[in-house]
Amino acid sequence: MTNFLRMAAVAATAAAAVTAAPAVAAPVGVTSGPKPTANARIIKPLTLTRVRDLDFGTIVMDSVPVGGSAVSVSTASARSCGAGLTCSGTAQSAQYNVRGTNNQVVQVFATNVSLTGSNGGSLTFTPAVPGNVTLTSSGAPGNNFDVGGSITVLPTTIDGVYSGDMEVTVDYL
């Protein structure tokens, strides 16, 4: 009986070893059609440079409505002066230069900014940016784009010179 148990244990161990061994097959490459290729698109990092500042010109408060009156400068430097205000001087949009990889589309972002008055007070500047810029040159000279925007003058706005840093960023689309 002991021999029978030994033989059964050896047979069970041999059967487990045979079933646990992986099947070995010859390696196979692509059997029909062309082999797949690997691709990588490398693009240059973006650089953004200020070319000129935005200027609303001089704004004279006459009889500004209670809800305020807007002054805006378009991306083409055209100024619009709201009710109860008189605008003078030369208005101009801000201009930036973006450099990167040729034929890539760049998206332009900007956030509202608080402009601080030289005699106190603040105005909210709401920027107007082009949605996208397609880069037509790789590296220098880059592509220029303009940023306009608007401010709302209230009857309680304190006189003075208002200024603040614009928050404009770009990223590949």
Side-chain angles (χ1 to χ4, degrees):
M1 181 73 149
T2 309
N3 281 342
F4 177 73
L5 290 175
R6 281 188 201 154
M7 295 291 270
V10 169
T13 304
V18 169
T19 57
V24 177
V28 176
V30 174
T31 57
S32 65
K35 291 182 179 181
T37 59
N39 298 303
R41 172 92 169 130
I42 308 298
I43 57 176
K44 295 178 183 179
L46 292 170
T47 60
L48 184 65
T49 308
R50 177 190 68 79
V51 175
R52 70 172 184 241
D53 296 325
L54 184 138
D55 192 350
F56 285 96
T58 301
I59 304 164
V60 177
M61 296 172 50
D62 296 326
S63 54
V64 179
V66 174
S69 192
V71 178
S72 63
V73 174
S74 73
T75 56
S77 294
R79 178 180 47 221
S80 171
C81 197
L85 301 172
T86 302
C87 297
S88 63
T90 303
Q92 74 176 8
S93 60
Q95 191 171 75
Y96 291 85
N97 180 273
V98 60
R99 293 179 185 182
T101 298
N102 191 29
N103 296 321
Q104 293 296 302
V105 178
V106 175
Q107 191 168 11
V108 181
F109 303 94
T111 58
N112 290 356
V113 174
S114 181
L115 305 180
T116 304
S118 58
N119 295 321
S122 65
L123 293 171
T124 299
F125 169 71
T126 304
V129 299
N132 299 327
V133 175
T134 300
L135 300 176
T136 57
S137 65
S138 191
N143 291 86
N144 290 342
F145 65 90
D146 296 298
V147 175
S150 64
I151 56 174
T152 299
V153 178
L154 299 171
T156 56
T157 299
I158 300 170
D159 65 338
V161 176
Y162 287 78
S163 63
D165 295 332
M166 295 173 61
E167 300 291 333
V168 176
T169 58
V170 293
D171 197 4
Y172 285 113
L173 187 62

